[in-house]
Amino acid sequence: MLFLEAAPASAPTIDEAILWAIMLCPLVAWGLIAIYVRKIPVAAGYLAILGVGAACVLSYVTLFNVMDADGGIAIHSHEWFSAGDLVVNLGVRVDGLTAVMLVVVTTVAFLVQVYSTGYMQGDAGYGRYFAHMCLFTVSMLGLVLADNLFQMFIFWELVGLCSYLLIGFWFHKPSAAAAAKKAFIVTRIGDLGLLAALLLVWTRAGTFDVTAIQEWATSGEPEGYIVTLFALGLFAGAAGKSAQFPLHVWLPDAMEGPTPVSALIHAATMVAAGVYLVARFFPVFEASHDAAQFVAWIGAITALVAATIALVQTDVKRVLAYSTISQLGYMMLALGTFGYVAAIFHLFTHAFFKALLFLGSGSVNHATNTFDMRQMGGLKKYMPVTYWTFIIGSLSLAGIFPLAGFWSKDEILLDAWRHDRALWAIGLSVAFMTAFYMFRAIFLTFHGEYKGGQPVDHHDEDSHFHGDPAHPHESPWAMKGPLIVLSVPAIAAGWLAYDHLFKDFIEAALPHAESHGSTFEIGIAISSSVVAVAGIGAAWAVYMKRWVTSESIRATFAPFAIIFENKYYLDRIYEDLFVRTIFHRGWNALLQANDRYVVDGIVNGSGRLAREASSRLRVIQTGQVQSYGLGIVAGVIIIAVAVITANPL
């Protein structure tokens, strides 16, 4: 079955083969690397670049076709299988939201593959790395293109599997193996909610089709609490993937994976999947204001909690990890305040400047063999390209005019202002902290005197570091090139909002939803800019001029510093309360008791019963033939007497 859905705007004329080819190109690259060239490092890297690059070109073709059609929705769907009343389709859906996500995923993925050829050079698992990266790209593209929730769930889980493989890429390191398991388990907790939502919508709406679900939720047919439960189930899955409070604890530990992995899946793609899921089913949340309010406040709490923890981190990658969590909270806050356009626009801009920052941190690590900012300093003169691109990414993240982050962040603050001033106040305070912790990282890493880095262990077969950390140098062009390219959208991507092209394009993907787009507001722009500049100025005063030392600030706010440094004790609570107490001492003890007293009781009891019965019966088994003969005669006599008694002559 092939059909094209009617839409308010003209449907985009896109060949179905192009859409399937977007997924097929990296899939073929994965297959070739995994089967044939995994042990040929150079070929593996080039195949990954070729496969993802082809998908990137086709994604831009798709974007331009959808733009020519002024948005619209095109769906190519085929019946996959049926079981009774259950009919599941396999198809692709293209609209403004899909086109934007395709470009984001493939552009960042392509640049990360190029960067990885330099960063991962010499690694023992070089071919395996590129195979995993291609499979992840396929999974993310399948998730974005899926036209029904069932198909989306399959790719959703495949994305989780690839994340596990990439976070634990250096599996010989206990910290990496533990981080991979933690990410997999925590995100699966959220996925239980998504699975429950999938089952609920099938039993109530009888469909998995995205458009049909949107129409069902907004039709007024289902009870309000059913729509709310469905929306909350969707958000549970989104909270796991997009690291929302309280399921955010896996993302900082995921930094144990290679840095290009963090740039791709923990900045631009996988963690954005939760935001994409909520945006894809945005009409459902519009139909349930309770669920939308819940999303907004969880987003605000996530943004605030992560930003405060980022203030005290000493590992530059973990600063970026908590920053990512905070910005994802921003996006959820926007979706909860019905700022659909603002949320997707911030997802769009954030993908570029945060990928730039992660790759910049990898460049620094390549030169110093450490992510610890306390062992860096003074790298500006050694690594000018890395420094200036990192500055661009940080200014964009801080929301400085006219860089990309300024436009998208202000859209979110404007929606929060219109919806709830308390949410706006939280967003504004997070903007100050964002500027502060990013420039704290810059001043500690690139300014001052170089502190020597971390000595390298050349006996580590998986080490990609081959230089001398005592004499840092700029990264090779395979790494510098992507930094320079990503700097362009980090500067200019925000200008798309100025003429409302982005707003109109994205809104066309929601023909059944109300328009909640934002417009530029000078008051919001001034207040956010003042706050961002104040954050930068505060970091400069503390870490450059040292008018106030960080030690004195910590001593003054010691209780808060301790809480932030211990990450609000959430990891300890989860470990002590849930893992050790509830699961180990409680649930595991219950299972152990069941195994010992119920399962073993039945098995051992059956054995004891048989043994006791045999011990009673074996006394009549003497082994003497005359005794058996006597028994037979006695039996015959008893039977004869019984028969005669029952039938007298």
Side-chain angles (χ1 to χ4, degrees), residues 111 352-353 355-357 385-386 388-393 396 403-404 480-493:
L111 293 173
F352 297 115
F353 59 68
L356 169 61
L357 290 169
V385 174
T386 300
W388 286 110
T389 54
F390 204 90
I391 285 284
I392 290 171
S396 189
L403 279 70
K480 287 190 296 187
L483 294 178
I484 295 171
V485 173
L486 282 169
S487 297
V488 176
I491 295 171

Side-chain angles (χ1 to χ4, degrees), residues 115 119 259 316-317 320 356-366 368 370-371 376 386 390 483:
Y115 180 96
Y119 188 86
T259 298
V316 65
K317 265 182 80 174
L320 297 177
L356 169 61
L357 290 169
F358 268 115
L359 294 183
S361 72
S363 180
V364 168
N365 172 253
H366 189 267
T368 64
T370 184
F371 290 105
M376 299 181 190
T386 300
F390 204 90
L483 294 178

